[in-house]
Amino acid sequence: MKYYSTNNPNHKVDLKEAVIKGLAPDQGLYMPEKIPVLAEEFYATLHTLTFKEIGYKVIGALFSEDLSDEQIKTLVDHTLDFDAPLVAVEKDVFALELFHGPTLAFKDFGARFCSKLMSMLQDKHGIKVLVATSGDTGSAVANGFLDVEGVEVVILYPSGKVSELQEKQFTTLGKNIKAIEINGVFDDCQKLVKEAFLDPELNSKLLLTSANSINIARWIPQCLYYFYAYSRLPKENKKLVFSVPSGNFGNLAAGILAERMGLPIDMFIAATNVNKVVPDFLNGSAFLPKPSKQTISNSMDVGNPSNFFRLLALFGGDEDKLKEKVKGCYYSDESTKEAMVEVKQETGYTMDPHGAVAYLGLKAFMKEYPSAYQGIFLETAHPGKFRNTVEEALGEKLILPERLAAFMQGEKQVDTMENDYLQFREYLLK
Ligand SMILES: *Cc1c(COP(=O)(O)O)cnc(C)c1O
């Protein structure tokens, strides 16, 4: 399979280059040149398969030209090492819980797949993955790459500007995961990483790569849990709608990829907080990136969503088709908290702020078509990751899952550094 750049369909590369480069040289996003449609018989038997068995089929359909059956099995087994339960919250309304992985957020799926695939594709000298993080990406990537052979991860983060829990999740692992605490802000960290990628001499000595969310190896595996959720849905003669809490729109784009592969999803809801560039576009405005605003669903505080052109590419660039299949909506922090309280009181279910945004979008849509749909909203993170917000809204203490509590016991191991490229460069070379 070849992968083309969304900026130039004639620029095509193989799997290895798409994964190691991440972004095309023309700054476009890589897309598979063919989207395989799975056989009817696969869909007819989907409910009898395990999550991993679904994974072998779907990943096989996409990657079998480039990877052996054994490699596909290894990749899927490593990625789907935890469940994604579908929980009935109300009549016809389900939460797809994507937070049962090591860092309790859906990014674990992409990070785990990406790490394994990179280690399969690397040369014998090994890869260094550079990541600048303001919190969540660092923890998912660090945990996804832990103990992966031939890959070393270097995480840069701004001193004092990530939460203690986030910091623990990527500074206590040791082994092939190195963390550098930079005396600066997030933008400084990102700039250091960019300078390293643009340094020809450094790149002639080291194989540097990034594991950010536009990489196909993080993006594609996210389609798997849409198939799985569908397979676990109680059978009723109703249409299916997914509501996806969105920031960079990789997760939503992966759902659409599943639909393009034949999964019968009637509609998608693109739900955001007040960072509503994409809902505005879907409701008729031009696509106009803006500086991001801070909200309580902070992992979706994105003003220039990097997967927007992937959404368009999935519809062959046809804006009208995209707008037919995806409805946009956005919610304030106030409404988000109210939804968390209401659902807790009425059903006993605890939503995190991101899931709550998706819940609101789903309910608004389903109200327009009474009894016509079964709806699934994606719960992208465990409520305990946003403990203060959730406890304040609900007026009660959360019980932290053991995995989160365990991170708090770990010993922080970091190098500290000034915001200085030459120092960073020397660190990488030593
Ligand atoms: C990253 C993230 C999102 C946004 O996902 P995208 O794929 O960037 O749209 C939503 N919720 C949580 C908890 C996240 O960490």
Side-chain angles (χ1 to χ4, degrees), residues 105-107 136 245-251 299-300 352 354 380-381 386:
F106 82 98
K107 291 189 175 73
D136 267 352
S246 296
N248 269 319
F249 286 81
N251 203 359
S299 300
M300 310 198 297
D352 95 290
H354 305 77
T380 45
F386 306 92

